[in-house]
Amino acid sequence: IVKAMDNAMDPGEGQKRLEFLVGNFDVKILVWLDPFNPPIESRGVAVHTWVLGHRYVQTMLSAFIMGEPFNAIGYGGFDNVQQKSVASYMDSGSTGMEWYTGAMDPDGKSAKMTGTTYNEFTGKPTNIERRLSITPDGDHLTNLWEADPSGEMIKIIELQYTRKKS
């Protein structure tokens, strides 16, 4: 029992695989309000830090989108019991929280996580995906996808994280 509890709560290999996220980043933000038109481009900054004893990576994002202040908080981690990547996200553009589960590819260079959110126009559940790509220098790209009314996934947001040089 003690061994199972230790395995469940102690940071391990799953958490170590998230180390690339930690740091300070400039962020280029692309938002598609209409998938048939060019995205709106904004800039921001993000700080990713370990929290709760290297169990989760906390993301604090600050930007201006369409001239308005935008802030977001996210938490990413690895659930030792489920053996899955997990994440939660909330921002100043909504009152709902997003919850994702998924997996990192075996090569450790990409991940896909899925979840459900509620559509602001219909109030109905909508499938969402978070796709992460990692470069060797620690930069990374996060794409957020949402199901349209037909169920087809369309890209709605892209966040391009560039590590700030020390």
Side-chain angles (χ1 to χ4, degrees):
I1 289 179
V2 171
K3 176 86 170 135
M5 289 177 61
D6 286 345
N7 289 340
M9 68 182 206
D10 289 342
E13 289 305 312
Q15 289 74 25
K16 287 178 186 172
R17 292 182 78 187
L18 301 175
E19 184 65 41
F20 75 92
L21 289 171
V22 176
N24 298 318
F25 297 86
D26 289 314
V27 186
K28 180 178 176 181
I29 303 164
L30 303 173
V31 177
W32 283 265
L33 298 177
D34 177 345
F36 303 106
N37 287 316
I40 296 166
E41 185 176 326
S42 303
R43 299 276 177 184
V45 294
V47 176
H48 302 287
T49 56
W50 283 112
V51 295
L52 300 175
H54 280 75
R55 286 172 177 82
Y56 304 95
V57 176
Q58 177 187 51
T59 298
M60 302 291 288
L61 173 73
S62 182
F64 281 87
I65 297 179
M66 297 188 308
E68 296 292 323
F70 180 84
N71 295 289
I73 300 171
Y75 294 92
F78 183 80
D79 185 320
N80 292 344
V81 175
Q82 295 184 70
Q83 291 293 297
K84 290 184 179 181
S85 296
V86 293
S88 63
Y89 180 83
M90 62 204 102
D91 62 46
S92 61
S94 69
T95 57
M97 292 177 69
E98 296 171 2
W99 300 90
Y100 297 90
T101 59
M104 190 168 278
D105 288 345
D107 66 6
K109 295 182 182 174
S110 62
K112 180 178 175 183
M113 305 178 80
T114 59
T116 303
T117 190
Y118 286 84
N119 183 285
E120 60 270 19
F121 302 111
T122 66
K124 294 181 179 178
T126 302
N127 292 329
I128 52 176
E129 290 181 1
R130 183 182 189 124
R131 301 176 189 173
L132 175 69
S133 302
I134 306 153
T135 61
D137 60 3
D139 294 348
H140 53 282
L141 178 71
T142 298
N143 288 300
L144 302 175
W145 296 71
E146 183 175 88
D148 71 6
S150 73
E152 181 179 344
M153 298 304 283
I154 56 171
K155 184 163 52 168
I156 57 171
I157 300 174
E158 180 171 295
L159 300 146
Q160 300 171 8
Y161 292 90
T162 303
R163 188 174 297 279
K164 290 186 176 190
K165 307 300 180 214
S166 302

